Amino acid sequence: MHKDERDALEVLKFELEFLEKGGYGRSPREPWRFQFIFEDSPTCMNYDSKGDPGPCSECVLMQFVPPESRGEKIPCRHIRFNAEGETLDSLYRNADQYETEKILENWLRTTIARLEEERKAHREDGNGTPGPGANVNKGDALFHSLHPKCANPACATAFHWLAGGKFFRFRPEPSVSQPKDKDGQPSAMTPGVTHYWLCERCSQVFALIYDENQGVMLKLLRPELPAAESPKQLTVG
């Protein structure tokens, strides 16, 4: 498993959407067992690498774990969610699933708001370029990195042909500004079709659409806004 280089804000926003979508209900993979928060989410850096997991010390969520708990076997269970010091470790022993998910939701919303405010202040102060969460909903092309993965930037699931999920492909829109050669024909350097893949679980939460200003974007699936309505979306599989 390569180093977890995802952006924390992207990961937390996806985790909130995953939670709100009922992601911790019965798993199609293992319907007989309880679903563990973070560990059974695509946000887990080892979600698709259970047989050969990377060290939790590399996980982007480690920054939220208190220093004294970073040596625990499962550090994310020791993230403190509130002033009372409640953690997944304590909630699994003292609370039901509904209460646990509500406490998690409150922590996610609070932490997301804090990170967004910090980045906004950083940009307004002119102390640097916008943080890596500036385009948190932009999808990752399948083969644009050394380690092909799910197009959801917050998901660490590695790409496998037989792992299910959903493929998407997009081609550039015709444009008068498209590069042309000396004979006035479209340049051979014009990019062709680009492929994307959403893993099995992310494809149940998101679709991909093309935005003229921002490119390929994640779209949260909602009954009132079917993602398939987008005329610029081409899907395969």
Side-chain angles (χ1 to χ4, degrees):
M1 177 72 187
H2 57 285
K3 182 177 175 61
D4 188 0
E5 297 178 344
R6 295 172 296 164
D7 177 63
L9 184 55
E10 292 180 352
V11 171
L12 296 186
K13 284 187 172 184
F14 172 74
E15 181 65 25
L16 179 59
E17 292 172 339
F18 180 73
L19 177 68
E20 292 177 331
K21 196 72 175 180
Y24 289 111
R26 181 172 295 181
S27 168
R29 287 183 170 187
E30 300 172 306
W32 60 88
R33 73 169 179 84
F34 176 80
Q35 297 296 291
F36 292 103
I37 288 171
F38 295 138
E39 298 163 67
D40 288 315
S41 166
T43 57
C44 177
M45 64 174 284
N46 289 315
Y47 175 71
D48 198 47
S49 306
K50 301 298 185 183
D52 184 25
C56 288
S57 59
E58 298 289 346
C59 181
V60 68
L61 295 178
M62 186 63 80
Q63 63 188 278
F64 304 108
V65 179
E68 65 273 16
S69 300
R70 293 178 182 175
E72 297 287 344
K73 182 177 180 181
I74 307 177
C76 60
R77 291 189 185 183
H78 298 273
I79 296 173
R80 294 172 183 167
F81 291 146
N82 49 37
E84 289 73 31
E86 290 179 301
T87 65
L88 289 174
D89 184 63
S90 65
L91 291 170
Y92 287 155
R93 289 182 277 110
N94 301 310
D96 59 23
Q97 183 172 349
Y98 175 80
E99 184 179 0
T100 298
E101 291 190 6
K102 291 303 294 183
I103 291 173
L104 170 65
E105 179 184 354
N106 290 336
W107 178 79
L108 287 169
R109 292 186 182 281
T110 299
T111 306
I112 288 169
R114 174 176 61 80
L115 291 177
E116 289 180 330
E117 283 299 315
E118 289 176 355
R119 294 187 180 187
K120 180 180 178 181
H122 182 76
R123 291 193 296 269
E124 291 176 348
D125 289 344
N127 291 331
T129 56
N135 293 317
V136 297
N137 292 318
K138 192 168 184 178
D140 291 333
L142 184 57
F143 295 113
H144 276 193
S145 73
L146 184 62
H147 304 280
K149 60 177 283 294
C150 178
N152 177 7
C155 178
T157 302
F159 171 67
H160 296 294
W161 281 108
L162 302 179
K166 192 169 187 178
F167 286 93
F168 297 77
R169 59 177 182 174
F170 297 88
R171 58 172 54 91
E173 293 292 319
S175 171
V176 294
S177 62
Q178 179 174 320
K180 293 180 172 57
D181 61 20
K182 62 181 181 180
D183 297 320
Q185 298 301 315
S187 169
M189 298 301 292
T190 303
V193 172
T194 304
H195 294 80
Y196 298 76
W197 173 74
L198 287 175
C199 69
E200 181 68 24
R201 188 166 289 193
C202 286
S203 66
Q204 297 175 22
V205 182
F206 295 105
L208 293 173
I209 61 171
Y210 181 82
D211 180 271
E212 293 182 355
N213 296 316
Q214 301 188 64
V216 176
M217 306 289 291
L218 286 174
K219 179 182 179 66
L220 183 64
L221 292 174
R222 295 183 184 278
E224 69 274 19
L225 293 173
E229 289 182 354
S230 173
K232 297 179 181 178
Q233 176 180 319
L234 296 173
T235 65
V236 178

